[in-house]
Amino acid sequence: MTTPLSFRQSVDHMVQHAMSVLDLDPGLRDVIRTCNSVIQVRFPVKLHGKIHTFKGWRATHSTHRLPVKGGIRYAPYADQDEVEALAALMSYKCALVDVPFGGSKGALQIDPSQYDRDDMELITRRFATELIRKGFMNPATNVPAPDMGTGQREMAWMAGTYKHLFPDDINHQACVTGKPVHHGGIRGRVEATGRGVQYALQEFFRHPGDVAGAGLGGGLEGKRVVIQGLGNVGYHAAKFLSEEDGVKVIAVIEREGVLLNPDGIPIQHLRDHMVEHKTIRSFPDADFEEDGRKALELECDILIPAAMEGQIDEQNCDRIQAKMIVEAANGPVSFGADQKLQARGMVILPDVYVNAGGVTVSYFEWIRNISHIRFGRMQRRHDEQRASQYATLLQEITGARLSEDRRNSVIRGADEIDLVRSGLDDTMRLAYQEMRNTLLGSEQIHDLRTAAYVIAIGKIARSYHDVGIY
Ligand code: GLU
């Protein structure tokens, strides 16, 4: 029996597969494929009078554009292989959706549930200090963001640490994204990755031929969805898709098991239950079963893995019965499983596309930080005044009268969240159309993942080519 590929090898195989379609200089292939630099840090923190040592990493995959960008994950199983794989995915993701950043990723080997808030603050500030001192966190060159196990709180501590060390850096707020809104964050960043999953599916369903190719028909309304992981990404994706697009979430898979309800699980209710009870077992509106992984094999229309990498591998891929897979997590399908599923004609919307909403809105946040102004601040009232004049003119010409409510909704100027959502929606639509055109326009490309990589690698290669390698 052959040993299964590591996550990094699995991503590398997918990339090499796409590279075989492109006519690239072999030297340039290696430059693009491999991580440029990886740092491992070990640092002590004194907690309640006892010294603890922690280990973390930050990998920079591709510096063809700066800053490099990508989240920092807190997990007990984190290791260098995973960080390198995730850093590579960040480069391709940014290139695909035209976010002008290189790729990076970080991780700290820690189980956050074992520490209280004050401990976490000390550990996070100490980790940030290590990264800053070694040049792996800086508004111009390397900008972290939240990932699994981290959120606004950790980003605020990291930004605070940077500001403390470099108070004279006028762009200090841009050293990290995913911050709380009142500390330089942007509205819509928390929901962004899940929102991007929703926009990706909406765009897919705008193409009836593509939908038919997955053995489906009609729109999103009523589609049966199985989702793995109700963390930040899974929760927002499931909430928006069920509340706004009418999909039926028939199963939610979590670490301790799976909740099943063929009529659809009320996602907000479940999330509130999880926050209050710290378990899904006692949730009243669905049946609980222990074997969560088995539920990936349920018959459904759309399977959304939104948790960990490597969930669909060569062991279970033949039993997957979903019509299509939407990769909200990074790397949920292994290279071997991907090959087998593609051979079966399974439609897979790939991770580098589906979960790019997070980094897209991080880009907006970074722009907001370096421009030192909230989106919409200059033009919102002006837009409203013009719209109001048009509405008055329309009334005068037609003699019709608009109700107060109708008039207000017509003239309302876009605020920050409207602009963020519109920018994200546009990004997800354009990237899908680019993947689709690449797929349809080539006889050598047979799936959306290869199309995504071909586009991303082509853009990175072009940028190396234009600037030159030195
Ligand atoms: N951690 C997220 C990702 O994997 C977001 C990265 C970012 O915003 O820089 O895409």
Side-chain angles (χ1 to χ4, degrees), residues 420-460:
V420 163
R421 287 184 184 148
S422 140
L424 176 58
D425 192 10
D426 189 54
T427 303
M428 298 309 288
R429 288 184 197 220
L430 290 180
Y432 183 77
Q433 288 159 21
E434 202 176 354
M435 288 192 307
R436 183 172 192 272
N437 292 339
T438 304
L439 175 62
L440 296 177
S442 162
E443 281 177 9
Q444 288 163 283
I445 302 173
H446 307 290
D447 60 282
L448 287 165
R449 189 190 312 280
T450 307
Y453 278 126
V454 163
I455 295 165
I457 294 163
K459 288 181 189 171
I460 297 172

Side-chain angles (χ1 to χ4, degrees), residues 58 68-73 86 89-90 93-94 101-102 104-105 143-148 150 177-178 189 193 233 328-330 351 355-363 365:
R58 182 109 179 133
V68 290
K69 192 85 189 75
I72 290 187
R73 169 172 293 201
L86 292 165
L89 288 175
M90 285 309 305
K93 200 185 297 191
C94 290
F101 295 147
S104 183
K105 200 80 174 200
V143 181
D147 200 80
M148 247 180 218
T150 56
T177 58
R189 175 60 185 90
T193 315
V233 179
N330 285 308
D351 49 4
N355 69 38
V359 77
T360 301
V361 177
S362 275
Y363 169 46
E365 179 175 333

Side-chain angles (χ1 to χ4, degrees), residues 178-190:
K179 301 175 292 290
V181 170
H182 298 294
H183 293 278
I186 194 167
R187 285 166 189 81
R189 175 60 185 90
V190 176

Side-chain angles (χ1 to χ4, degrees), residues 204 207-216 323 345-347:
F204 177 80
H207 301 272
D210 301 3
V211 176
L216 292 165
K323 299 267 187 343
M346 171 81 75
V347 171

Side-chain angles (χ1 to χ4, degrees), residues 62-90:
S62 182
T63 48
H64 67 292
R65 290 199 193 283
L66 289 176
V68 290
K69 192 85 189 75
I72 290 187
R73 169 172 293 201
Y74 281 5
Y77 53 78
D79 63 27
Q80 185 169 328
D81 186 278
E82 183 193 43
V83 174
E84 286 190 29
L86 292 165
L89 288 175
M90 285 309 305

Side-chain angles (χ1 to χ4, degrees), residues 12 82 96 127 130 147 168 230 282 348 399-400 408 439:
D12 192 40
E82 183 193 43
L96 177 69
F127 185 33
E130 291 291 323
D147 200 80
D168 53 355
L230 213 65
S282 48
I348 302 179
N408 287 342
L439 175 62

Side-chain angles (χ1 to χ4, degrees), residues 352-427:
V352 284
Y353 168 59
V354 175
N355 69 38
V359 77
T360 301
V361 177
S362 275
Y363 169 46
F364 302 155
E365 179 175 333
W366 186 78
I367 297 278
R368 179 193 166 159
N369 293 153
I370 60 171
S371 54
H372 300 267
I373 190 162
R374 165 172 54 78
F375 288 109
R377 181 164 177 182
M378 299 292 281
Q379 75 272 33
R380 181 167 166 209
R381 298 298 168 196
H382 177 74
D383 289 349
E384 285 187 359
Q385 269 168 21
R386 295 210 71 169
S388 172
Q389 283 164 2
Y390 283 130
T392 306
L393 200 65
L394 201 70
Q395 285 181 1
E396 281 170 11
I397 293 169
T398 62
R401 275 219 63 79
L402 286 173
S403 72
E404 191 66 13
D405 277 359
R406 188 101 179 92
R407 187 182 166 93
N408 287 342
S409 82
V410 168
I411 68 171
R412 193 179 82 86
D415 54 23
E416 190 173 64
I417 186 77
D418 299 322
L419 294 170
V420 163
R421 287 184 184 148
S422 140
L424 176 58
D425 192 10
D426 189 54
T427 303

